[in-house]
Amino acid sequence: MFLINCPFCGEREQSEFKAGGEAHIVRPKQPTELSDDQWAEYLFMRKNIKGIQFERWNHIHGCRKWFNMVRDTSNDEIKAVYKMGEKPPVK
Amino acid sequence: MTKNLRVKSSKLVDETYRISFKFNGTTYYGFKGDTLASALLANNIHLVGRSFKYHRPRGIMTAGSEEPNAIVQLHNGTSRTEPNVRATEIEIYEGLVATSQNCWPSVKFDIGGINNFLSPLLPAGFYYKTFMWPASFWEKYEYFIRKSAGLGKSPDVPDPDIYEHKYIHCDVLVIGAGISGLIAAKTAAKSGFKTLLVEEKSYLGGSTIYQDSEFFKINNQNSASWLEKEINEVKKIENLEIKTRTSVAAFHGYNFLLARENLTDHLPLEQRENKTRQRLLKIRAKKVITATGSIERPLIFDNNDRPGILLSSAIKKYADLFGVACGEKNILFTNNDSVYETAISLIQKGIKVQAIIDNREEIDSKLIKETEKNNIKIYKGYSIVDTFGYKRINSVSIMKLSKDGQKVIGSKENISCDSLGISGGWTPAVHLFTQSGGKLKFRDDDQVFIPNTYPSNQISIGSCNGDFTLDEILINTPKLLKEFLNIKKTEYENIEIYSAFNKSKRNIWLLPSNKIVGKTKSFVDFQNDATAKDIKLALREGFRSIEHVKRYTTTGMGTDQGKLGNMHALGIISETASSKMGELGTTTFRPPYTPLTFGTIVGRNVGKYFDIIRKTPIHEWHIENKAEFENVGQWKRAWYYPQNGENMHEAVQRESKAARDSAGILDASTLGKIDIQGTDASEFLNRVYTNAWSKLEIGKCRYGLMLNEDGMVYDDGVTTRLDENHYIMTTTTGGAATVLGKLEDYLQTEWPELDVYLTSVTDHYATISVCGPNSKKIIQKVIPEIDLSDKDFPHMSFKNSKIGKVKCRVMRISFTGEQSYEINIQANYAKSVWENCIEAGKEFNITPYGTETMHLLRAEKGFIIAGQDTDATMTPIDLQMDWIVSKKKFDFIGKRSLYRSDTIREDRKQLVGLITDNPEEILEEGAQIVADMNKTPIEMLGHVTSSYFSPNLKKSIALGVVKGGKNMMGQKLIIPMEKKQINVTVTDPVFLDKENKRLNA
Ligand SMILES: [Zn+2]
């Protein structure tokens, strides 16, 4: 079980958090102008990376804030956490 | 044949404290400190069970948690019964009752034993191959397999014991209190780290605590005496907590570990009352030091599984620690020096060693010299090729090994014995290390896997790190600790060590035989009866991956996870397939290391503590009025209120009729309520609901549907505009948490620029809904000051008001189709307001109704229930609710998905009404809907989602989803049931009052 450093609360048990899928997928500003394929790209297509992955997490049983995480899925190492809207601190 | 095989005083047992226990119905005696295994061996009992597949007689093989054979059922037939208990671990207590498992009718005469003679018919993969065909026979096969196999019986009454969970945070966790673990714990604690030391056994010191000879010395004392002094010191250290009888079950990432602490399993039953039996420790350690030791390897030769064959180290341990001789004529068989330690211990205690068979030709060490001095015959360069004796070993056949170790040569010689100790060297116990994500490397010198890369802040020390001898441990451990703990010095720098152990070893994974492999039974996995022959067969049949061979042969798949034989399985695969051990990899060791009881896993979360129970503030009234309850999520909701012995159907018919004829009252407090405030609240609602919100006047209510981004309906409810920038949203009871979560997600991540604040107020307000033609009169009596005239307070509007001095909100909204008012009031006043309503409604026969009647009334009106009439595949268009989807709005969540190529298909499943030809016939919810019974395969068009008998319409009504249903109005369809076919007609989903006249009646 991870120890997650919530950017608002500090280090807490993973059981306080909810994973929310891939990060940095921006909702299109004008969905009506997109083709079916373009909309499907936003709606369904997600990466499943072995290695460095950018993820959304929610401190659901804590401050309820959403934030981003950089995690190496091959060994579960959390490289960084950062607030929504911020640029990832690592590549 | 009862003999006393106690030899002389020993380290662990108290010979002044006699304990009686029962094994397979017979009473025996042992001493305090004995395990069940040591007490049985002291009574000359080796045969304790039957093997899983061939039902071969099996004896105690080890003296620890790696035991594959000696697994017993405790207290069979009682509430405290437990299967799969290792006799080598359970400590005896007065009144212990144990029985053998996996044998019927008795361990001595076992019907399944016939499998042993049928074994040519039971090769690897037998179950897969044979029981596959014909498929219709599976039920018969299963009956026999289950009867003759099976490991133990589970209890059939509730567990009387108490279990609990406990969190522990420490700087350093040390797993295992052998010599390395003790050194580590002492060093860490004395360096200022808050340290926890856990040990699965009841005593500290591991195997060194009985390493009591002049051949192993530390600072000129026997290693055992030296360690005893260390233990005395360790026990006095303040910031060091020691937990014995505590076994680490799982080592997860980020140094999170689960351990089981056994508190009462060694006590007589009558002393266990009101005590916690086992505790699940949830340990989060900054640093972990694994010192789990090593497990002796067996040797793989023909018939290596007979009762009386033990690991050599187990024989030594039973003699030294428990004062028990495993036999009176012992033979030891080895490929390394370990058995000579055993031999010397046995000699010291006056136990006869008949002979030693050593694979190695050229050997020389002080241990061997000492053994030879005692006139023990050592057969150098020999191997055992067979053993004899059905229920107990009585002799072995030996032959000379060829130079290359590939075959046996010369003539056979028989030697009689009653016990055989075997040693194939040692395997580091790396199970926990690999569970944590650690990667192993293969050390060719002595053919062992040892830790290579650590995934978290941890190290392995001692023999689980491949340091097997006393000198290696004492030299390497302090070095590793200094680096790991970042300290300058340990107490173990200038220590004098003497170890007579010579590390030479002749490793042969599968010993050669004078027979062909196909004619031998050389067991690799003792619990699952997997032999070397099975593994070779799997390879011949094309299996290459170790994980596949494991499953095909069931090697390592028992309750012991193959702690003894997994290495040999790997070795045999690599030799047969000519691949390198290090490249082959290992199978995955999964938690738990040793089995956990269900009690430990669930802890206190049993019975009424299993889950949270949420009750409305009016709950007590429902109980007083004999309501039956329904679980909706965690909520207890009044389901119906039976009167005078009514069944559910009768009660619901009465309640439904009363609500439409005069007045009904419902506790709707469980509906989710979200308070929404901020200057962008209206814009926010525009984006999350399908319909338009900007123009909703203050004081008005509106129904809304929420979609996921994929266009599918997931929740609905009425939202009221309380003020310019203030709304109160209601959600379904079950959807409240999800809706709040989604709204927060969009606000925080997609639209952070919006000025909107969300607060869950579900528990703060109670909701009382009064409906029916007389509802207005009743509300007027309860709230005299409010103007309820249709003009001033029309349907879908809201007013602030007061009941006495207490503020309340009144909404005129309806989920039943009747004129209906909802009073929202601070939760702690709810019960008295409810009672006021009941009192005021008496003259109108006000009838409390539950969720079942609510569902029936809304079905009459064709109102959906999100989650019952919808699943995650229904769009608003599918629900025939096009009217609620705004065409003008630029965007809302899910909008774009409503015209994807898939969502605009005409033949999607769509919500329709269903009327049965026979008005008395009530459909089953979930029943399939078809059009043509003659088509093969029959095409399923959809299913029934809601179905009731309507007392107001006096006929059966149902809602269902049907492919292309919108265009099937009036069409006949069929509901095929097990014994009949029900004919139905597709209709509009609104059955009652299409014109909404009743809302203003
Ligand atoms: Zn937080």
Side-chain angles (χ1 to χ4, degrees):
Chain A
M1 189 159 61
F2 305 166
L3 263 186
I4 297 173
N5 191 12
C6 169
F8 304 93
C9 308
E11 213 164 59
R12 297 287 191 279
E13 295 273 336
Q14 185 185 344
S15 54
E16 292 185 11
F17 296 84
K18 182 180 102 174
E22 192 179 336
H24 302 298
I25 293 176
V26 181
R27 189 173 187 273
K29 285 272 174 282
Q30 296 186 312
T32 43
E33 292 182 4
L34 301 184
S35 69
D36 268 14
D37 284 352
Q38 286 168 323
W39 180 245
E41 186 67 31
Y42 161 73
L43 196 56
F44 302 120
M45 296 306 170
R46 296 295 181 271
K47 297 190 193 92
N48 184 14
I49 294 165
K50 184 179 181 183
I52 301 293
Q53 181 162 292
F54 298 83
E55 300 172 338
R56 283 155 31 94
W57 284 75
N58 182 215
H59 195 183
I60 190 161
H61 300 299
C63 63
R64 292 189 72 87
K65 285 282 194 183
W66 282 91
F67 59 93
N68 291 322
M69 180 190 287
V70 188
R71 184 170 68 98
D72 187 336
T73 60
S74 68
N75 59 13
D76 282 341
E77 194 189 327
I78 298 169
K79 302 280 189 189
V81 291
Y82 52 104
K83 293 178 185 172
M84 280 294 157
E86 292 179 354
K87 286 228 154 42
V90 285
K91 283 206 171 162
Chain B
M1 199 181 58
T2 44
K3 285 180 191 170
N4 188 353
L5 288 145
R6 292 280 170 186
V7 281
K8 68 182 203 188
S9 62
S10 61
K11 273 265 190 260
L12 207 59
V13 301
D14 176 0
E15 285 171 55
T16 65
Y17 194 136
R18 203 169 78 138
I19 288 171
S20 75
F21 65 95
K22 270 191 179 166
F23 179 66
N24 287 341
T26 308
T27 300
Y28 298 97
Y29 296 92
F31 296 124
K32 191 169 174 60
D34 264 325
T35 61
L36 177 59
S38 71
L40 287 171
L41 291 169
N43 286 283
N44 200 27
I45 294 167
H46 278 258
L47 173 60
V48 287
R50 294 273 175 166
S51 68
F52 187 66
K53 195 158 95 181
Y54 304 129
H55 287 242
R56 282 167 68 102
R58 287 284 164 79
I60 296 157
M61 211 179 156
T62 73
S65 58
E66 66 274 25
E67 175 63 36
N69 294 338
I71 52 176
V72 296
Q73 180 105 24
L74 297 185
H75 302 286
N76 199 2
T78 75
S79 60
R80 283 209 165 87
T81 193
E82 187 175 348
N84 301 330
V85 174
R86 287 158 303 284
T88 50
E89 284 198 299
I90 184 79
E91 297 166 56
I92 59 165
Y93 48 83
E94 193 62 41
L96 172 84
V97 178
T99 42
S100 294
Q101 288 181 183
N102 204 21
C103 48
W104 183 80
S106 82
V107 69
K108 288 182 182 157
F109 176 77
D110 177 78
I111 283 184
I114 198 154
N115 286 357
N116 191 26
F117 303 104
L118 297 177
S119 68
L121 305 174
L122 293 169
F126 171 71
Y127 293 102
Y128 297 120
K129 288 170 185 163
T130 310
F131 296 130
M132 286 299 290
W133 309 102
S136 58
F137 268 44
W138 171 247
E139 279 175 32
K140 287 198 178 64
Y141 292 137
E142 193 187 15
Y143 174 79
F144 285 105
I145 291 169
R146 289 207 188 282
K147 197 170 164 69
S148 62
L151 291 165
K153 290 190 198 82
S154 51
D156 48 17
V157 285
D159 188 336
D161 282 315
I162 303 167
Y163 303 82
E164 57 190 39
H165 290 181
K166 186 181 178 183
Y167 283 90
I168 296 183
H169 298 265
C170 57
D171 294 328
V172 177
L173 169 70
V174 181
I175 311 167
I179 184 167
S180 330
L182 285 163
I183 287 173
K186 190 178 168 195
T187 305
K190 283 196 150 185
S191 307
F193 294 97
K194 186 185 162 204
T195 305
L196 172 66
L197 171 64
V198 297
E199 165 57 48
E200 65 175 358
K201 302 200 173 56
S202 61
Y203 58 92
L204 305 177
S207 60
T208 315
I209 201 65
Y210 52 91
Q211 192 179 50
D212 205 359
S213 79
E214 56 188 288
F215 298 96
F216 300 94
K217 292 198 166 203
I218 303 171
N219 286 344
N220 268 321
Q221 308 160 61
N222 287 0
S223 49
S225 318
W226 179 87
L227 192 59
E228 233 162 71
K229 286 180 200 142
E230 283 289 299
I231 291 170
N232 286 335
E233 279 187 42
V234 160
K235 283 181 179 166
K236 289 180 202 145
I237 303 174
E238 224 168 64
N239 57 337
L240 171 60
E241 189 182 0
I242 302 172
K243 284 187 181 289
T244 53
R245 300 189 176 100
T246 300
S247 164
V248 174
F251 189 164
H252 295 296
Y254 289 75
N255 283 354
F256 180 73
L257 298 95
L258 297 174
R260 180 206 50 213
E261 185 180 16
N262 236 328
L263 298 162
T264 63
D265 278 358
H266 59 293
L267 298 176
L269 298 185
E270 65 274 10
Q271 288 177 30
R272 297 185 190 181
E273 294 305 319
N274 301 319
K275 287 182 186 152
T276 299
R277 181 190 170 201
Q278 291 171 347
R279 211 177 259 153
L280 186 72
L281 307 178
K282 301 178 174 184
I283 307 169
R284 183 75 77 167
K286 294 200 177 105
K287 290 167 173 284
V288 176
I289 299 174
T290 306
T292 43
S294 51
I295 297 168
E296 194 165 27
R297 289 181 188 168
L299 289 162
I300 312 300
F301 53 94
D302 195 12
N303 291 313
N304 59 344
D305 67 324
R306 298 193 189 283
I309 302 180
L310 292 90
L311 296 179
S312 151
S313 59
I315 292 180
K316 173 170 156 48
K317 185 171 179 178
Y318 285 120
D320 288 340
L321 207 53
F322 301 97
V324 173
C326 290
E328 293 169 306
K329 287 191 291 182
N330 295 282
I331 292 179
L332 299 172
F333 179 28
T334 191
N335 64 11
N336 71 94
D337 254 18
S338 297
V339 301
Y340 299 95
E341 264 197 86
T342 304
I344 289 163
S345 272
L346 298 184
I347 295 160
Q348 278 176 352
K349 298 201 158 45
I351 304 168
K352 189 175 179 194
V353 180
Q354 190 88 342
I356 294 178
I357 294 118
D358 197 324
N359 283 170
R360 299 170 300 175
E361 188 94 40
E362 318 241 317
I363 41 172
D364 177 38
S365 74
K366 285 176 187 137
L367 288 174
I368 294 169
K369 286 213 178 77
E370 174 69 13
T371 310
E372 281 177 323
K373 237 189 267 172
N374 284 281
N375 295 321
I376 293 168
K377 170 88 174 151
I378 302 175
Y379 292 86
K380 297 176 186 172
Y382 274 79
S383 187
I384 293 182
V385 293
D386 204 353
T387 69
F388 306 92
Y390 185 56
K391 288 174 201 160
R392 173 82 177 261
I393 189 168
N394 59 33
S395 62
V396 300
S397 287
I398 64 168
M399 286 176 82
K400 185 97 180 146
L401 268 174
S402 67
K403 271 256 173 315
D404 61 1
Q406 297 286 308
K407 53 183 188 287
V408 281
I409 49 178
S411 56
K412 246 198 301 196
E413 188 177 334
N414 279 4
I415 314 171
S416 71
C417 65
D418 61 355
S419 159
L420 171 66
I422 55 179
S423 176
W426 295 82
T427 298
V430 293
H431 310 71
L432 293 176
F433 164 78
T434 55
Q435 275 183 25
S436 79
K439 297 277 178 286
L440 299 165
K441 68 177 170 207
F442 191 67
R443 190 165 74 189
D444 283 310
D445 299 353
D446 54 352
Q447 306 273 297
V448 293
F449 282 103
I450 53 173
N452 187 25
T453 52
Y454 296 100
S456 60
N457 199 345
Q458 55 162 305
I459 48 165
S460 294
I461 57 168
S463 62
C464 73
N465 192 37
D467 290 340
F468 294 116
T469 64
L470 197 58
D471 41 342
E472 286 173 336
I473 290 169
L474 283 164
I475 291 164
N476 292 337
T477 302
K479 274 191 216 160
L480 288 167
L481 288 174
K482 276 198 285 189
E483 199 192 322
F484 181 63
L485 299 174
N486 195 19
I487 51 174
K488 295 232 155 56
K489 234 171 100 69
T490 70
E491 293 173 20
Y492 309 95
E493 309 287 315
N494 298 308
I495 219 159
E496 261 179 62
I497 312 145
Y498 171 69
S499 166
F501 197 91
N502 182 319
K503 282 173 66 180
S504 93
K505 180 173 159 188
R506 186 181 191 187
N507 195 71
I508 303 171
W509 292 116
L510 172 60
L511 290 162
S513 170
N514 55 328
K515 299 178 204 156
I516 58 163
V517 177
K519 297 274 183 209
T520 63
K521 278 214 186 68
S522 309
F523 287 90
V524 176
D525 183 316
F526 296 85
Q527 194 175 97
N528 269 346
D529 270 354
T531 64
K533 177 176 70 181
D534 295 327
I535 293 171
K536 294 207 168 207
L537 177 66
L539 291 164
R540 271 209 309 283
E541 293 186 0
F543 291 92
R544 282 296 174 270
S545 150
I546 172 70
E547 294 287 358
H548 291 158
V549 174
K550 166 181 162 170
R551 280 156 184 79
Y552 195 56
T553 62
T554 70
T555 303
M557 289 177 71
T559 60
D560 60 337
Q561 290 195 50
K563 291 189 180 81
L564 292 184
N566 271 355
M567 282 299 292
H568 306 80
L570 278 174
I572 292 166
I573 293 168
S574 85
E575 275 171 7
T576 311
S578 305
S579 50
K580 275 185 120 176
M581 273 293 267
E583 289 160 15
L584 205 57
T586 62
T587 56
T588 315
F589 299 112
R590 294 179 205 284
Y593 178 66
T594 48
L596 287 175
T597 58
F598 281 108
T600 310
I601 294 166
V602 298
R604 289 282 176 118
N605 302 325
V606 290
K608 63 178 175 178
Y609 303 116
F610 177 70
D611 195 10
I612 291 163
I613 294 172
R614 298 176 80 181
K615 297 172 185 167
T616 76
I618 307 162
H619 190 79
E620 288 307 312
W621 191 93
H622 304 318
I623 290 183
E624 286 158 21
N625 287 274
K626 311 277 183 296
E628 292 290 329
F629 288 89
E630 177 183 29
N631 294 328
V632 183
Q634 292 170 327
W635 287 101
K636 292 276 173 204
R637 294 200 72 176
W639 193 10
Y640 59 98
Y641 301 81
Q643 288 180 356
N644 310 319
E646 283 173 329
N647 63 23
M648 176 164 142
H649 177 75
E650 289 159 351
V652 169
Q653 296 290 306
R654 172 180 52 75
E655 291 171 13
S656 304
K657 195 110 180 46
R660 292 218 191 278
D661 289 351
S662 178
I665 181 167
L666 172 82
D667 179 0
S669 305
T670 62
L671 287 182
K673 296 179 268 298
I674 301 170
D675 185 275
I676 302 174
Q677 301 192 40
T679 52
D680 292 317
S682 303
E683 171 60 17
F684 181 62
L685 292 175
N686 264 338
R687 297 187 192 185
V688 299
Y689 277 128
T690 59
N691 45 353
W693 289 77
S694 315
K695 289 186 185 141
L696 185 69
E697 288 168 45
I698 296 168
K700 295 289 177 194
C701 317
R702 185 164 285 172
Y703 172 79
L705 269 188
M706 272 187 210
L707 312 186
N708 279 319
E709 205 67 271
D710 62 6
M712 306 303 158
V713 173
Y714 80 93
D715 209 83
D716 66 344
V718 170
T719 292
T720 303
R721 190 164 197 174
L722 303 174
D723 208 336
E724 176 65 24
N725 296 320
H726 191 185
Y727 292 82
I728 180 104
M729 173 187 279
T730 59
T731 73
T732 60
T733 298
T738 320
V739 171
L740 179 68
K742 285 204 191 240
L743 298 185
E744 285 179 330
D745 186 351
Y746 275 91
L747 263 186
Q748 288 180 36
T749 64
E750 299 293 351
W751 310 317
E753 71 281 4
L754 293 186
D755 176 42
V756 177
Y757 301 89
L758 306 172
T759 312
S760 167
V761 292
T762 304
D763 295 278
H764 309 60
Y765 294 97
T767 305
I768 297 164
S769 171
V770 179
C771 80
N774 286 314
S775 57
K776 188 182 283 177
K777 293 174 196 149
I778 295 165
I779 297 295
Q780 194 72 72
K781 280 174 80 181
V782 175
I783 317 175
E785 61 169 61
I786 201 166
D787 181 354
L788 294 176
S789 65
D790 288 344
K791 185 165 166 285
D792 197 59
F793 197 174
H795 181 58
M796 296 307 269
S797 59
F798 141 84
K799 278 186 178 188
N800 279 312
S801 190
K802 270 184 181 171
I803 300 175
K805 287 181 180 167
V806 184
K807 285 194 270 184
C808 65
R809 291 173 182 155
V810 184
M811 280 91 165
R812 184 171 171 183
I813 52 180
S814 175
F815 189 42
T816 58
E818 293 302 312
Q819 183 170 161
S820 177
Y821 297 88
E822 283 189 4
I823 303 173
N824 282 272
I825 192 152
Q826 197 179 314
N828 41 347
Y829 296 107
K831 191 166 169 242
S832 80
V833 172
W834 175 278
E835 281 162 349
N836 285 356
C837 293
I838 297 281
E839 190 53 41
K842 256 187 189 157
E843 58 177 305
F844 306 104
N845 183 32
I846 193 170
T847 300
Y849 66 90
T851 50
E852 192 63 22
T853 291
M854 174 184 83
H855 288 174
L856 189 158
L857 294 173
R858 65 85 208 180
E860 289 176 337
K861 279 292 290 178
F863 292 152
I864 59 152
I865 291 184
Q868 176 165 341
D869 302 297
T870 69
D871 50 25
T873 67
M874 301 296 287
T875 69
I877 320 300
D878 298 337
L879 292 169
Q880 305 216 42
M881 291 173 78
D882 314 43
W883 54 271
I884 203 172
V885 181
S886 164
K887 303 276 183 308
K888 289 184 197 143
K889 277 202 293 182
F890 171 69
D891 192 15
F892 56 82
I893 297 170
K895 175 170 177 147
R896 175 62 185 84
S897 291
L898 295 180
Y899 54 95
R900 289 177 52 237
S901 57
D902 184 57
T903 47
I904 55 171
R905 277 190 296 115
E906 290 286 307
D907 62 344
R908 289 177 61 82
K909 283 183 186 167
Q910 291 147 352
L911 187 80
V912 293
L914 299 167
I915 295 292
T916 49
D917 285 6
N918 171 3
E920 301 292 321
E921 183 100 64
I922 304 169
L923 299 175
E924 267 185 45
E925 288 174 0
Q928 294 290 331
I929 303 170
V930 306
D932 183 357
M933 290 296 288
N934 298 319
K935 208 168 157 184
T936 44
I938 298 178
E939 189 189 3
M940 301 299 182
L941 295 179
H943 65 277
V944 178
T945 59
S946 295
S947 171
Y948 304 90
F949 185 82
S950 161
N952 299 299
L953 299 163
K954 299 192 177 58
K955 65 177 181 186
S956 158
I957 56 166
L959 299 173
V961 292
V962 178
K963 276 183 196 168
K966 268 188 213 176
N967 297 322
M968 292 168 89
M969 292 301 130
Q971 200 173 315
K972 294 273 182 194
L973 292 174
I974 300 161
I975 316 286
M977 299 303 291
E978 200 173 7
K979 293 204 172 88
K980 59 182 171 186
Q981 294 176 14
I982 304 167
N983 297 314
V984 297
T985 307
V986 178
T987 68
D988 187 89
V990 184
F991 301 103
L992 180 115
D993 187 26
K994 279 195 176 73
E995 306 77 22
N996 290 330
K997 283 186 191 147
R998 305 181 69 98
L999 288 171
N1000 296 306

